[in-house]
Amino acid sequence: DSGVTQTPKHLITATGQRVTLRCSPRSGDLSVYWYQQSLDQGLQFLIQYYNGEERAKGNILERFSAQQFPDLHSELNLSSLELGDSALYFCASSNLPGSTNEKLFFGSGTQLSVL
Amino acid sequence: GQNIDQPTEMTATEGAIVQINCTYQTSGFNGLFWYQQHAGEAPTFLSYNVLDGLEEKGRFSSFLSRSKGYSYLLLKELQMKDSASYLCAVEGGGNKLTFGTGTQLKVEL
């Protein structure tokens, strides 16, 4: 158990809908990262927050947004869903804002299926 | 940009040694990580290299050559439970961690 909690574990929805994925980082960790993993692609970095502030942005679509709350949990909002958004979404946490030698602790992921 | 290449899949025999290679081209370099991911599960940290050379940790070792943009993960005394995807990840400029697509390792009897 990494200490990172993601909910829900599975999510099935229809095209055009909007969903919210939730993540609670390990106790004491200030950074939260969101990654998307599709069958044919590796882990794609979406976005990172550190202590409530956006720290780094990756290949995140405009239809997607995220935020980190004062209690450090984070939410990833996916809207106007398309079939291609079906993927495993991972949240990871670390204690530092993003630096060398800082391994990430991953949650068990949310499997999103868009039908 | 970042480009990371690793073989898609490999097969090895229980008890043997296997080497999984990773080559990378990145803008900036702050370290290279290897993660293990079993199907449907979260990636878990295996190793970290920032200086050239070999880092050994039990049955797993990882090597880095920054001048060649090359790393490998060496797994010794393979066990069936080592069947998993092995992800090479590079921390480049801006402290952004970029993952390769992973190498699916199958360990057979």
Side-chain angles (χ1 to χ4, degrees):
Chain A
D1 182 9
S2 67
V4 179
T5 305
Q6 284 188 252
T7 57
K9 198 168 177 60
H10 301 278
L11 198 50
I12 301 174
T13 189
T15 55
Q17 295 298 304
R18 172 190 167 93
V19 296
T20 298
L21 312 185
R22 294 175 176 81
C23 170
S24 293
R26 286 189 323 155
S27 176
D29 281 358
L30 300 176
S31 268
V32 169
Y33 302 74
W34 286 99
Y35 283 85
Q36 178 193 58
Q37 187 174 41
S38 305
L39 279 176
D40 58 344
Q41 293 188 11
L43 280 166
Q44 299 291 316
F45 170 67
L46 296 178
I47 198 165
Q48 180 209 353
Y49 282 83
Y50 175 75
N51 204 20
E53 300 285 327
E54 183 183 303
R55 184 82 182 184
K57 216 166 188 176
N59 301 322
I60 188 166
L61 300 172
E62 285 191 12
R63 300 183 286 110
F64 297 0
S65 65
Q67 55 183 323
Q68 186 179 28
F69 295 87
D71 67 352
L72 301 176
H73 91 272
S74 178
E75 292 182 353
L76 179 67
N77 301 296
L78 315 175
S79 61
S80 303
L81 283 169
E82 301 174 0
L83 295 178
D85 297 328
S86 295
L88 195 52
Y89 290 83
F90 284 106
C91 167
S93 76
S94 72
N95 191 38
L96 297 178
S99 66
T100 57
N101 201 24
E102 183 64 14
K103 63 184 179 184
L104 300 180
F105 294 87
F106 284 83
S108 55
T110 294
Q111 179 66 59
L112 174 66
S113 299
V114 182
L115 306 177
Chain B
Q2 323 266 62
N3 188 42
I4 299 173
D5 287 312
Q6 13 176 172
T8 305
E9 35 182 54
M10 298 182 71
T11 302
T13 306
E14 189 179 34
I17 299 173
V18 70
Q19 177 174 314
I20 303 174
N21 296 324
C22 170
T23 57
Y24 63 89
Q25 293 172 313
T26 60
S27 50
F29 179 82
N30 290 317
L32 186 144
F33 296 79
W34 284 95
Y35 281 80
Q36 180 193 59
Q37 185 179 23
H38 286 96
E41 297 183 12
T44 55
F45 171 82
L46 288 178
S47 69
Y48 170 76
N49 295 71
V50 66
L51 299 175
D52 290 353
L54 189 69
E55 294 282 341
E56 297 187 75
K57 191 188 290 186
R59 293 189 299 115
F60 293 5
S61 303
S62 57
F63 171 83
L64 175 67
S65 169
R66 288 172 299 172
S67 62
K68 296 181 180 177
Y70 167 71
S71 173
Y72 67 73
L73 179 69
L74 194 70
L75 292 77
K76 304 175 187 174
E77 300 169 16
L78 279 172
Q79 302 175 10
M80 298 299 288
K81 68 177 182 179
D82 296 330
S83 293
S85 182
Y86 290 85
L87 311 175
C88 174
V90 176
E91 185 173 343
N95 301 121
K96 198 164 68 173
L97 190 63
T98 301
F99 284 82
T101 53
T103 298
Q104 188 64 47
L105 174 66
K106 183 178 179 183
V107 180
E108 299 179 328
L109 290 172

